[in-house]
Amino acid sequence: MYEALTALSDLSVLAFEPPGWGAVLLAGLINSMYIAFGGYALGMVIGLLGASGKLYGGVVTRDLLEVYTTVVRAVPELVLILILYYAGTEALNAVLIRIGIGQVDISGLVAGIVVIGVVLGAYLTEVIRGAIKAVPGGEIEAGRSYGMGPFQIFRRIIFPAMLPHALPGLGNYWLTTTKDTALLAVVGFTELTLATRQAAGATKHYMTFFLAAGAIYLTVSILSGIVIKIIEARFGRGLVRPT
């Protein structure tokens, strides 16, 4: 106990200059944020397309999207990440070899963004689909009566009307995404969690580094929560909420 408290009091291991590991943790945090932002952006695109396909697509499209969202939500995310990371890169290289391009070296950052985006896209598909269904049908009919095409109706009516309904779910999944980046540590990608493990293992100051990592994740969540509340207040004006 005394040794643990003594180790906690030595914060020099968090210094940015060697032999401190602060710079390593910062690099891991930056990698985590790259993956979180990239994966969330990709997930949003998949979510918008998936929701549109489920609501307005044909039977085959709706069935395929139903399989996609069901499988992703049913299988643990860690298992999906392992499958997509290893099997996905192998499948892509197999296709590239077959069409004559040859095998490519896919970076861990790109693979991480794609993996997180594909997993997140299934959840955002359902969030956005529910938000679109909350848009009154009369508003869409009014758009059609004014001669708007499907894209105009979506951009000028559906998207602004569904956004206040979707924002709470989108905000929650952003917070989930920032933490899910830690799962990529199992495939050897150096994000914040793996950098923390490496620093703790090298210095034996386990509690110091794990508490530091927890504080960093908490700070990211608090700052994200503030931004989410600002966005919800900005786009939720005029929306009647239950009291």
Side-chain angles (χ1 to χ4, degrees), residues 10 28 34 43 59 63 78 100 105 144 151 169 186 191 202 208 229 231:
D10 181 13
Y34 275 143
V59 176
D63 288 345
L78 181 57
D105 185 18
R144 290 179 180 146
F151 180 73
V186 299
E191 41 66 63
T208 301
K229 286 187 180 298
I231 294 174

Side-chain angles (χ1 to χ4, degrees), residues 70-233:
T70 300
V71 169
V72 171
R73 289 187 297 167
V75 179
E77 291 182 20
L78 181 57
V79 177
L80 283 172
I81 286 173
L82 290 171
I83 293 173
L84 290 171
Y85 192 88
Y86 290 113
T89 52
E90 286 186 10
L92 177 61
N93 276 322
V95 171
L96 293 177
I97 292 172
R98 180 170 290 274
I99 62 178
I101 296 178
Q103 185 170 333
V104 296
D105 185 18
I106 301 172
S107 76
L109 180 64
V110 173
I113 289 174
V114 172
V115 167
I116 293 292
V118 170
V119 173
L120 182 65
Y123 294 96
L124 295 190
T125 292
E126 294 303 321
V127 171
I128 295 172
R129 184 177 70 88
I132 291 176
K133 291 185 72 175
V135 178
E139 295 183 10
I140 299 173
E141 290 299 325
R144 290 179 180 146
S145 68
Y146 276 98
M148 294 183 184
F151 180 73
Q152 275 187 310
I153 291 175
F154 181 83
R155 181 174 63 86
R156 302 180 67 175
I157 296 177
I158 295 178
F159 186 76
M162 71 90 175
L163 199 54
H165 301 284
L167 280 175
L170 297 179
N172 283 333
Y173 279 114
W174 162 252
L175 295 177
T176 302
T177 302
T178 60
K179 290 183 292 185
D180 282 351
T181 57
L183 296 176
L184 294 174
V186 299
V187 296
F189 181 75
T190 307
E191 41 66 63
L192 179 57
T193 300
L194 185 56
T196 302
R197 285 170 48 191
Q198 291 171 341
T203 61
K204 309 303 180 188
H205 287 63
Y206 293 99
M207 285 298 292
T208 301
F209 282 104
F210 288 134
L211 286 174
I216 292 172
Y217 278 118
L218 180 61
T219 302
V220 170
S221 294
I222 291 174
L223 294 177
S224 298
I226 294 172
V227 174
I228 290 168
K229 286 187 180 298
I230 293 173
I231 294 174
E232 286 185 359

Side-chain angles (χ1 to χ4, degrees), residues 20-51:
W21 286 74
V24 176
L25 295 188
L26 179 61
L29 173 63
I30 292 172
N31 281 339
S32 293
M33 290 297 97
Y34 275 143
I35 291 177
F37 280 114
Y40 193 81
L42 178 59
M44 279 290 292
V45 172
I46 294 175
L48 284 169
L49 295 175

